[in-house]
Amino acid sequence: MKIFFLCKTGHHTSLLAANYYLNHLETGNGIRIKEIPGFNDIKPKSIGTPYFVGKDDKNNEVYTIGVSSQPEIFTRVIGDYLNILGEKPENWDTINLTRITSTYTKLGIMLNYFRLKYLAAYFLGIGANREFAEIQSVISEFSNQTQARAEINQYNNKIY
Amino acid sequence: MKIIYHCYGGAHSSVTAASIHLGWLPSDRMPDNEELLNIPYFDRPINKDHGHIRFMGYDENNNEVYIVGRRNSKSVLENICHGISDIYGLTDKDVRLINVMPYVNLKMVIGGFISRRLQITPIGRPIILAGVKSSYWKFVNLVKNVKKETK
């Protein structure tokens, strides 16, 4: 299965969430964004290119994708594109995190575009920590749904 | 092979190009208004249809032809599709994305805005039809090149 975490750039909120999902995140003294590989490593022209984060304990591949400021449109594109490639819906999933992105993160992204890197990093750090609680909630819900789906499939396989 | 024509709204230029590709519109003469209005999805999609990749049909080489509206985010669409293709081991020989926006003229932009965004179809539609006819031979040439490359 392939799991796609979505946010504006694919290298901020979604990357944080993907790393948390994969248990790659140290949260002891708050989120340290410098320790997250690929965080804030964006080139505007490459937004949309899937970024491979890792595999979970069930060997599912985890990616992040930037959807710019059009999450609804590109969630449809991703779903329809996978469909026309012949991928069954049970073989992939998308988690849209664009609504979680905090104002601090958005400000940090904007400062980055103007090459004010140190100021950007300051706001991105605050943003990441502000978003974390909601990310935990989203991941928890996603994990429960995935578990429930797996149990239903197992049950159906036993019957048939 | 899958061929995806894309434009801003998936309502005019991509639909026209895809229809020429599939032989629903002529490539040796100018179509009349009725022929243009009869093609599927022409001046029909609205905002919530943007992003849906719509199947149009099979061409003479059994290639699948699709259209999609992606607003102003051409590079995001292309990056997503190419990136996902890479994940699944597909290449340009399996999927081709064709950007039709370079052939869109001002009449089509204005007519499209009036018809689709403002929903004043009686005013917008004639402007779009005039615009499509102005660029029609450019669409025909585009399709000829696409067919040459995808044989």
Side-chain angles (χ1 to χ4, degrees):
Chain A
M1 188 176 171
K2 293 177 187 6
I3 303 169
F4 301 100
F5 287 83
L6 314 179
C7 75
K8 187 178 161 84
T9 62
H11 286 266
H12 294 95
T13 311
S14 58
L15 190 56
L16 189 58
N19 276 276
Y20 174 70
Y21 173 76
L22 292 169
N23 292 320
H24 289 173
L25 218 54
E26 292 286 337
T27 58
N29 291 318
I31 310 290
R32 290 184 290 279
I33 58 175
K34 286 182 185 175
E35 293 172 9
I36 303 173
F39 192 87
N40 199 35
D41 181 20
I42 48 158
K43 293 169 187 118
K45 285 186 181 174
S46 67
I47 290 177
T49 305
Y51 178 76
F52 179 66
V53 188
K55 287 187 181 181
D56 66 10
D57 51 4
K58 295 179 185 67
N59 220 31
N60 298 320
E61 294 173 16
V62 176
Y63 297 85
T64 61
I65 298 182
V67 292
S68 192
S69 50
Q70 320 268 18
E72 304 85 15
I73 291 176
F74 290 107
T75 306
R76 288 178 210 133
V77 165
I78 292 165
D80 284 0
Y81 193 68
L82 287 165
N83 184 42
I84 70 174
L85 294 186
E87 273 299 297
K88 293 179 188 168
E90 56 264 28
N91 290 341
W92 58 271
D93 215 333
T94 58
I95 299 115
N96 181 8
L97 293 147
T98 50
R99 63 168 184 84
I100 289 178
T101 304
S102 74
T103 308
Y104 291 98
T105 300
K106 290 175 190 170
L107 181 58
I109 294 170
M110 193 179 68
L111 289 167
N112 217 35
Y113 283 138
F114 290 113
R115 302 196 179 180
L116 298 166
K117 289 184 180 175
Y118 293 109
L119 203 51
Y122 172 73
F123 284 107
L124 289 171
I126 297 175
N129 282 282
R130 293 272 169 131
E131 291 161 9
F132 188 59
E134 221 172 326
I135 285 173
Q136 285 177 300
S137 165
V138 168
I139 299 299
S140 171
E141 194 184 322
F142 172 71
S143 299
N144 291 340
Q145 283 175 1
T146 310
Q147 175 69 15
R149 250 185 273 162
E151 283 169 8
I152 291 171
N153 284 340
Q154 250 185 344
Y155 176 73
N156 286 337
N157 288 339
K158 275 187 192 162
I159 293 176
Y160 297 110
Chain B
M1 182 188 280
K2 298 171 203 313
I3 299 167
I4 304 174
Y5 288 94
H6 61 93
C7 68
Y8 182 92
H12 306 113
S13 52
S14 55
V15 170
T16 304
S19 299
I20 295 169
H21 189 123
L22 294 166
W24 298 345
L25 289 174
S27 46
D28 56 352
R29 62 171 175 82
M30 187 66 67
D32 57 38
N33 287 350
E34 207 179 317
E35 285 175 292
L36 285 168
L37 290 170
N38 279 340
I39 57 180
Y41 307 120
F42 187 86
D43 199 38
R44 301 285 189 296
I46 54 177
N47 280 355
K48 66 178 177 68
D49 298 315
H50 295 171
H52 278 306
I53 304 177
R54 295 196 149 77
F55 177 66
M56 294 290 277
Y58 294 95
D59 69 7
E60 63 272 21
N61 296 315
N62 219 31
N63 296 317
E64 296 167 25
V65 178
Y66 298 85
I67 56 161
V68 66
R70 40 62 174 174
R71 298 209 190 145
N72 283 323
S73 304
K74 168 187 93 87
S75 57
V76 178
L77 173 80
E78 290 176 347
N79 289 339
I80 286 175
C81 293
H82 289 138
I84 291 178
S85 294
D86 283 344
I87 291 171
Y88 288 93
L90 302 172
T91 65
D92 271 357
K93 291 180 184 170
D94 303 295
V95 183
R96 288 291 304 275
L97 291 160
I98 313 295
N99 179 21
V100 194
M101 282 305 291
Y103 310 100
V104 171
N105 55 49
L106 192 57
K107 279 183 239 177
M108 292 175 71
V109 172
I110 292 170
F113 177 76
I114 294 172
S115 176
R116 296 295 87 216
R117 183 66 72 90
L118 300 181
Q119 295 280 293
I120 311 172
T121 312
I123 294 174
R125 201 163 274 178
I127 300 173
I128 293 165
L129 288 168
V132 168
K133 286 178 174 178
S134 293
S135 288
Y136 192 74
W137 297 119
K138 292 179 185 172
F139 295 135
V140 169
N141 275 334
L142 169 69
V143 169
K144 273 191 187 146
N145 289 334
V146 169
K147 284 191 171 187
K148 231 188 266 183
E149 288 166 15
T150 57
K151 255 187 188 167

